[in-house]
Amino acid sequence: MNNEQEYRLEFFKERGFIRKQCPRCKTWFWTLNPDQTYCNDAPCVEYTFFKESKAPPFTVTEARRVFIEFFAKRGHKPVEPRPVVARWRDDLYLTIASIVDFQPFVTAGIIPPPANPLVVSQPCIRLEDIDNVGKTAGRHLTSFEMAAHHAFNYPDKYIYWKDETVRYAFEFFTTELKIPPEKITYKESWWEGGGNAGPSFEVTVDGLELATLVFMKYKVEDGSYTEIPLKIVDTGYGVERIAWYSQRTPTAFHAIYRELLDKVMKMLGVESPRENILYTIGQYASRVDPENLESLEEFYKGVSQATGTPIEDVKEILDKLERAFAITDHTRTLALMLADGIVPSNSGEGYLARLVIRRALRSLIILNPDTSLADIIKLQIDYWRNDFPKLKENSEYIIYVTQLEEKRFRELLRRGETIVSRLISKYKGKTAIPLNDLIVIYDSHGIPPDIVKEKAERMGVKVEIPINFYSLVASRHSRAPLKKEEYKIPENITKEIKDLPTTKMLFHEDPYIKEFEAKVLKVINGEYLILDKTAFYPEGGGQLADEGYVEVNGNRIRVVDVQKIGDVIIHKLEKTHFTIKEGLKVKGVIDWERRYRLMKHHTATHVILGAARKVLGHHVWQAGAEKTVEKGRLDITHYESLSEDEIERIEREANKIVFQGLDVKTGFMRRDIAEEKYGLILYQGGVPPGPHIRVVEIPGWDVEACFGTHLKNTREIGLIKIINVERIQDGVVRLEYVAGEAALEYLQKLMRELNNIAKKIGASIITLPSRVESLLEELSEYKKRMSMFKRAYMKLLVNNLILSREKVDNINVIVSILDNLDYKDLSDVVKSINDKLKEDNVIILFSKIPNRIIYVAAVSKSLADKGLTAITIHNNLVKHIKGRGGGKKDYIQGVTRAEPNIDEIKAIISDTIKHK
Ligand SMILES: [Zn+2]
Ligand SMILES: [Zn+2]
């Protein structure tokens, strides 16, 4: 869809812009320069701004400031950027553009924007092009700041649209960056994303795209476009690109990182080429289209010819440079991700953080294995301390987690050899390992593809690693899986309630209501009851549904389940022969004891979460929760198992809040106001829909968007006891706890068990520890004596067995049935006999242990060498003894259930010896 009219603007006409088409990329563009042929963007043209730019040199910090001031002066309100982790979105992990800040609620017109028009510089992370970083002189980065001005045009409130936006870009570039007007090119383009679409312009100057101006005006559904009432100006200026353009450095990395880049290169042992060579590299890099391998070859050839360096040397130099640039880029991205509390793991945003760490580490180990990634991260934290103060504030966490991940990765590489061998053994004899399998190997074991390739090719199996391997992997993980709403009520029932009004939720107005009266709105199949209001809590937010009964004309019918579909609450009733008529009044009574326990476990869950954050840090985020009558369960993000001390501290902090008796505040708030007041921490348990959210606050301790029923005061919890803590997966720790009566019941049960144990060993609970201590001492004394006796016994046994030997053709044959010896004992006995009796021996020993009989069949080495092996003997015996066994030439071990017959065994052996 590209309608020329979308791009014809008053501004272009007024200034005399002409419309042309680029013969290389076929894009239409607008320019003031009648002689311009190409679209002015790489790779259609080379970078010429190194020579051409007259801009005052701006650092990243200055570029950001100049942009914000420019738009602030022109009526835009500066707003704070959001985290790089998109906590307010449940469909997306990372903030990939400034517009993400306002999706979905502002862009859908559900809540107003924080200001209109506004200006923001939003740090963004995009991993879809991660493999290009370093190849294109800095056109591709994994993290960048998108400076943006946004205007939201409502049907009754117009701000501004295309003309003004294009004018702003023109004014900004000509005044602030001193770019001559005839160099500014507006490329016509079309933008689509997140179900919206609209025309856009890419603003390019001297080979570099500096800004994108998007006009969101369509909704895309099944390939058709309908205009939306809210039309949004969505712009994105590259802060790093502006800094690069204005500083005229050979690559963007030089402009962004300046002295930091030198330090990193030195640490990695990568020597920087001379400046004129760097410029040659920068210039040729503008022609690189990383998707196109030929263009990469052209790039190497170009640099080789221009600098008079052999192409193989150029490739080596560029490979090192590329890796150093990528490490510099990735470590900033990582610092930003960790500062926003991501915990590296195998899923969600944690997976993406680990991907960045591992890609950086792989290159770091190749360049200089003695460098530590954490040391480079430290430089980043210091370098960006004023731009992103949160890096400094969270530096301890960032550095610790980087070190931990580094240690884990290096360990993986050490173990990698064996893991890879095991993984790829199944490809033996095949010609290649398919890409999908390569990705699965990375996904499930974290093993980089180049290591698989090295090993596989030694085995003769080909491995093709696509140049965009990590990009492919990242794009598979960049979006959260769509959460399908699954109702426990059959679809034919939910269909029937569509037109019913919202159920009045008495449990929110007063969570302590135990009984209520309500009017019957609908009964479906005599089993599903809908009332005009209810105190029955429907299952949700990890809290189980209420139970109880409704009373109709003096008859009680049990309520077995309660579910919420949209805004309507459905009570599932026990099957009865009573008929409930619509319009009737019913009395509802909830099982209060059950509900009160659920409330205690729910409020306790919020208290525990606050305590975990206080003790472990702000990276702790709820990963799941469940509140039942018996206990509460909370899964939190954390990078390692909890120590006993940490568990005790969490428990102490939680109970402090219980004993302090804090009032729990609940109420509905407009989403943007709640976010402004409490921050994104609200969305611990997920992002609820709609303009209003229910906020549950324990003042000074915890605040969450939560639908559940809560106690009025934390004192009602009584006591919280943590009963189990385990690391359920990489990056996630599960806490289970009991509160109120459940805590008392748990402690009583614990005491009963302890009492039982104490009684069994003749102690009381008080004397239990010292009694256990002395029992353990006794036990070790017995063990010592046991082994002494055993040694004596074994010696005796060996002597007796030697005495029992029978000669067949000058070979000693020993067969015996023993008791309670294990394989190790039997092998010791065999060894002792062979040592003492330096002759040709055949030894068959059985040992009866509970439920079965184990055996060994051995020959002395001398005999095995002569060709009579344990294998031969075992083969002849195995049928008779009904055994199963295996081993080496001189030693077989096995197991049987049949009672052995010594005489027959001896006969078989002597037969074997005579026929050898
Ligand atoms: Zn072009
Ligand atoms: Zn909750």
Side-chain angles (χ1 to χ4, degrees):
M1 174 145 174
N2 190 337
N3 179 353
E4 197 192 317
Q5 285 310 316
E6 297 272 20
Y7 306 96
R8 291 205 175 273
L9 304 182
E10 191 49 43
F11 169 76
F12 290 152
K13 210 163 119 192
E14 185 187 301
R15 288 279 179 155
F17 273 83
I18 40 179
R19 188 170 186 258
K20 299 189 129 195
Q21 192 178 24
C22 175
R24 290 225 165 95
C25 66
K26 310 291 177 237
T27 308
W28 288 93
F29 61 87
W30 295 82
T31 176
L32 285 170
N33 175 7
D35 301 326
Q36 185 177 329
T37 311
Y38 299 110
C39 65
N40 222 352
D41 194 8
C44 289
V45 299
E46 285 178 2
Y47 302 143
T48 52
F49 68 89
F50 304 142
K51 296 172 212 123
E52 306 280 337
S53 167
K54 302 277 183 296
F58 295 136
T59 61
V60 164
T61 312
E62 288 159 350
R64 180 195 311 120
R65 182 180 50 77
V66 165
F67 180 87
I68 290 187
E69 279 173 6
F70 176 90
F71 283 95
K73 261 186 239 155
R74 284 156 185 82
H76 294 71
K77 187 173 180 232
V79 302
E80 283 298 310
R82 290 204 158 193
V84 295
V85 195
R87 303 277 196 197
W88 63 97
R89 299 272 301 257
D90 52 16
D91 57 338
L92 195 67
Y93 297 125
L94 300 172
T95 307
I96 52 170
S98 61
I99 193 69
V100 168
D101 295 10
F102 312 105
Q103 288 167 324
F105 301 106
V106 175
T107 52
I110 292 172
I111 54 168
N116 196 9
L118 61 83
V119 59
V120 65
S121 184
Q122 176 62 50
C124 299
I125 294 180
R126 280 188 202 174
L127 304 179
E128 279 77 4
D129 288 327
I130 191 168
D131 296 290
N132 301 348
V133 176
K135 286 190 176 75
T136 53
R139 232 186 314 143
H140 296 94
L141 304 168
T142 56
S143 60
F144 57 93
E145 273 184 76
M146 188 181 271
H149 61 101
H150 294 280
F152 302 85
N153 298 291
Y154 295 87
D156 57 346
K157 193 183 176 200
Y158 177 81
I159 308 293
Y160 60 77
W161 194 232
K162 294 180 204 168
D163 210 69
E164 295 86 337
T165 305
V166 170
R167 239 175 249 273
Y168 279 137
F170 189 79
E171 198 189 342
F172 176 74
F173 288 128
T174 51
T175 60
E176 303 297 334
L177 289 185
K178 312 270 184 273
I179 297 172
E182 68 278 6
K183 283 186 175 290
I184 298 174
T185 305
Y186 294 92
K187 271 168 74 176
E188 294 181 4
S189 186
W190 186 258
W191 175 89
E192 283 195 26
N196 292 111
S200 66
F201 287 109
E202 284 162 18
V203 189
T204 59
V205 183
D206 295 331
L208 203 58
E209 182 188 329
L210 291 175
T212 306
L213 316 171
V214 174
F215 306 97
M216 258 170 73
K217 59 181 282 199
Y218 296 107
K219 195 166 93 183
V220 194
E221 246 168 348
D222 305 325
S224 70
Y225 298 80
T226 38
E227 274 205 36
I228 44 177
L230 171 57
K231 296 185 174 56
I232 300 168
V233 173
D234 169 22
T235 65
Y237 287 62
V239 172
E240 288 80 3
R241 295 222 174 155
I242 292 172
W244 185 16
Y245 182 90
S246 71
Q247 290 181 50
R248 297 175 275 275
T249 51
T251 75
F253 303 104
H254 290 86
I256 303 166
Y257 296 103
R258 300 159 70 92
E259 73 272 11
L260 175 74
L261 181 65
D262 298 333
K263 285 185 202 162
V264 173
M265 301 258 285
K266 209 165 160 195
M267 285 166 77
L268 294 171
V270 176
E271 218 177 299
S272 175
R274 284 198 316 277
E275 199 179 78
N276 60 333
I277 295 182
L278 274 176
Y279 274 109
T280 310
I281 291 169
Q283 192 174 346
Y284 280 90
S286 55
R287 301 306 277 277
V288 171
D289 172 4
E291 319 273 276
N292 176 351
L293 282 178
E294 257 169 59
S295 80
L296 268 173
E297 285 301 320
E298 286 294 312
F299 171 43
Y300 300 137
K301 226 187 282 167
V303 175
S304 163
Q305 276 161 11
T307 59
T309 319
I311 195 152
E312 286 315 311
D313 294 357
V314 166
K315 279 188 184 173
E316 202 191 310
I317 293 168
L318 287 177
D319 180 69
K320 283 186 175 169
L321 263 187
E322 180 190 323
R323 290 184 190 278
F325 290 157
I327 290 167
T328 313
D329 164 272
H330 292 6
T331 43
R332 176 172 87 154
T333 301
L334 196 57
L336 286 167
M337 288 173 111
L338 296 177
D340 280 338
I342 296 186
V343 177
S345 70
N346 288 332
S347 60
E349 63 270 11
Y351 177 93
L352 298 172
R354 181 164 282 169
L355 179 116
V356 175
I357 297 177
R358 296 206 161 167
R359 191 171 185 277
L361 275 169
R362 188 69 200 120
S363 275
L364 178 132
I365 289 168
I366 288 170
L367 289 178
N368 182 3
D370 298 331
T371 325
S372 126
L373 196 70
D375 285 345
I376 300 177
I377 289 266
K378 283 179 199 161
L379 294 179
Q380 295 277 15
I381 294 171
D382 188 53
Y383 186 77
W384 298 104
R385 64 190 178 279
N386 296 322
D387 300 79
F388 309 118
K390 62 183 174 186
L391 298 194
K392 191 97 205 152
E393 286 154 24
N394 297 290
S395 63
E396 217 177 295
Y397 170 74
I398 298 171
I399 292 163
Y400 184 79
V401 166
T402 307
Q403 284 167 341
L404 198 65
E405 284 293 306
E406 194 166 352
K407 207 173 88 197
R408 286 176 182 161
F409 185 68
R410 287 180 193 258
E411 242 159 57
L412 177 73
L413 291 189
R414 263 196 296 279
R415 284 186 293 120
E417 192 77 0
T418 33
I419 302 178
V420 174
S421 305
R422 186 166 51 78
L423 287 175
I424 63 178
S425 59
K426 67 169 173 176
Y427 298 98
K428 217 170 201 156
K430 302 218 171 115
T431 48
I433 300 181
L435 172 61
N436 199 51
D437 293 17
L438 217 53
I439 292 179
V440 170
I441 291 175
Y442 176 80
D443 259 7
S444 45
H445 303 274
I447 296 172
D450 56 308
I451 293 177
V452 178
K453 183 186 167 91
E454 210 183 281
K455 189 93 185 166
E457 296 197 334
R458 259 185 269 150
M459 220 167 72
V461 180
K462 263 190 87 68
V463 174
E464 204 74 67
I465 305 172
I467 199 158
N468 60 341
F469 178 82
Y470 287 93
S471 310
L472 277 174
V473 176
S475 60
R476 286 193 182 191
H477 289 267
S478 65
R479 287 190 174 265
L482 278 179
K483 274 185 213 120
K484 259 246 182 95
E485 282 221 56
E486 273 188 40
Y487 296 127
K488 290 190 177 162
I489 305 282
E491 217 184 293
N492 58 326
I493 307 295
T494 61
K495 257 193 266 167
E496 291 204 38
I497 58 147
K498 256 195 292 186
D499 301 323
L500 293 179
T502 300
T503 311
K504 202 169 169 203
M505 301 177 197
L506 301 172
F507 51 83
H508 274 168
E509 287 172 16
D510 177 3
Y512 291 81
I513 290 182
K514 303 169 186 71
E515 293 183 17
F516 64 100
E517 283 206 348
K519 201 172 83 184
V520 176
L521 292 187
K522 198 170 181 121
V523 185
I524 307 164
N525 291 356
E527 199 182 0
Y528 297 97
L529 170 70
I530 295 108
L531 304 169
D532 63 339
K533 52 177 177 282
T534 188
F536 280 96
Y537 180 80
E539 184 177 355
Q543 184 180 328
L544 294 185
D546 281 339
E547 292 174 4
Y549 61 86
V550 288
E551 207 174 279
V552 196
N553 301 330
N555 298 311
R556 288 180 178 183
I557 308 167
R558 271 178 49 76
V559 173
V560 292
D561 191 17
V562 188
Q563 296 287 328
K564 181 169 165 281
I565 313 288
D567 288 324
V568 177
I569 292 173
I570 302 187
H571 309 76
K572 187 174 183 224
L573 305 177
E574 196 178 50
K575 286 247 191 223
T576 74
H577 56 277
F578 305 122
T579 45
I580 310 173
K581 289 215 181 71
E582 283 161 23
L584 265 181
K585 282 247 183 256
V586 297
K587 186 175 147 191
V589 177
I590 64 170
D591 177 345
W592 177 250
E593 203 187 297
R594 172 189 156 84
R595 155 72 91 69
Y596 199 35
R597 279 174 168 250
L598 291 170
M599 280 163 72
K600 283 176 186 168
H601 282 141
H602 199 150
T603 306
T605 300
H606 288 217
V607 172
I608 286 268
L609 182 56
R613 285 175 65 87
K614 184 170 179 194
V615 171
L616 304 173
H618 288 304
H619 61 278
V620 166
W621 201 263
Q622 178 175 319
E626 190 182 70
K627 304 94 192 179
T628 67
V629 177
E630 294 78 28
K631 66 186 178 198
R633 190 199 85 199
L634 174 68
D635 298 340
I636 54 168
T637 54
H638 188 58
Y639 43 80
E640 58 190 355
S641 302
L642 302 194
S643 68
E644 265 174 49
D645 177 58
E646 284 167 333
I647 297 166
E648 281 191 2
R649 270 159 60 209
I650 292 171
E651 199 171 70
R652 266 203 308 275
E653 290 293 338
N655 281 296
K656 256 191 225 164
I657 296 303
V658 174
F659 303 147
Q660 269 175 34
L662 300 179
D663 282 335
V664 181
K665 294 183 187 165
T666 55
F668 279 90
M669 277 177 101
R670 215 175 75 189
R671 176 183 297 276
D672 48 330
I673 296 173
E675 280 183 13
E676 173 78 31
K677 185 167 179 194
Y678 300 110
L680 299 169
I681 189 78
L682 276 173
Y683 299 132
Q684 288 268 353
V687 187
H692 292 89
I693 53 178
R694 186 164 179 270
V695 176
V696 175
E697 184 189 9
I698 301 171
W701 193 251
D702 177 79
V703 59
E704 295 175 43
C706 174
F707 194 75
T709 54
H710 283 273
L711 304 169
K712 276 199 192 102
N713 187 291
T714 57
R715 193 177 286 128
E716 282 177 75
I717 296 172
L719 179 76
I720 299 176
K721 180 83 197 84
I722 297 176
I723 58 171
N724 183 40
V725 178
E726 58 184 317
R727 194 160 166 238
I728 53 166
Q729 68 183 65
D730 207 0
V732 181
V733 173
R734 169 166 294 175
L735 294 145
E736 289 181 300
Y737 39 88
V738 283
E741 288 82 357
L744 180 65
E745 285 159 15
Y746 175 80
L747 291 175
Q748 284 177 335
K749 186 169 147 261
L750 208 62
M751 285 300 274
R752 267 199 308 276
E753 280 171 8
L754 276 177
N755 264 321
N756 276 340
I757 294 168
K759 254 186 240 159
K760 272 187 195 154
I761 58 173
S764 69
I765 284 193
I766 310 283
T767 59
L768 191 58
S770 59
R771 184 77 186 107
V772 168
E773 207 53 54
S774 66
L775 278 179
L776 286 175
E777 260 169 51
E778 267 177 55
L779 189 64
S780 89
E781 193 56 38
Y782 278 124
K783 272 188 188 159
K784 253 188 253 162
R785 259 190 262 173
M786 250 323 258
S787 73
M788 206 172 76
F789 285 129
K790 192 170 170 185
R791 272 199 304 277
Y793 167 74
M794 297 280 268
K795 216 167 167 181
L796 209 63
L797 180 65
V798 167
N799 286 339
N800 283 342
L801 288 171
I802 289 176
L803 286 176
S804 76
R805 70 188 185 274
E806 289 168 25
K807 292 255 181 200
V808 181
D809 278 7
N810 233 7
I811 295 171
N812 300 310
V813 176
I814 298 170
V815 181
S816 181
I817 303 174
L818 309 161
D819 280 309
N820 286 319
L821 296 185
D822 59 18
Y823 282 123
K824 166 84 173 47
D825 299 332
L826 293 178
S827 124
D828 286 347
V829 171
V830 167
K831 194 169 175 300
S832 300
I833 295 174
N834 279 331
D835 284 351
K836 282 197 167 177
L837 210 58
K838 289 191 170 43
E839 296 169 24
D840 291 340
N841 309 317
V842 173
I843 308 161
I844 314 290
L845 302 176
F846 294 86
S847 170
K848 291 182 177 176
I849 57 170
N851 296 324
R852 63 212 158 108
I853 299 166
I854 60 170
Y855 64 84
V856 299
V859 300
S860 53
K861 206 169 165 301
S862 52
L863 200 53
D865 288 343
K866 285 179 205 157
L868 184 57
T869 66
I871 299 170
T872 314
I873 291 181
H874 183 252
N875 283 346
N876 289 346
L877 274 178
V878 73
K879 220 184 200 159
H880 172 72
I881 61 172
K882 296 189 176 70
R884 253 186 316 113
K888 297 179 296 181
K889 241 171 36 170
D890 58 346
Y891 192 86
I892 300 274
Q893 62 183 38
V895 61
T896 178
R897 283 178 198 281
E899 187 76 24
N901 180 325
I902 293 201
D903 291 337
E904 281 176 26
I905 292 168
K906 282 181 180 164
I908 294 171
I909 292 171
S910 89
D911 212 44
T912 309
I913 290 172
K914 284 177 181 146
H915 289 91
K916 73 166 187 279

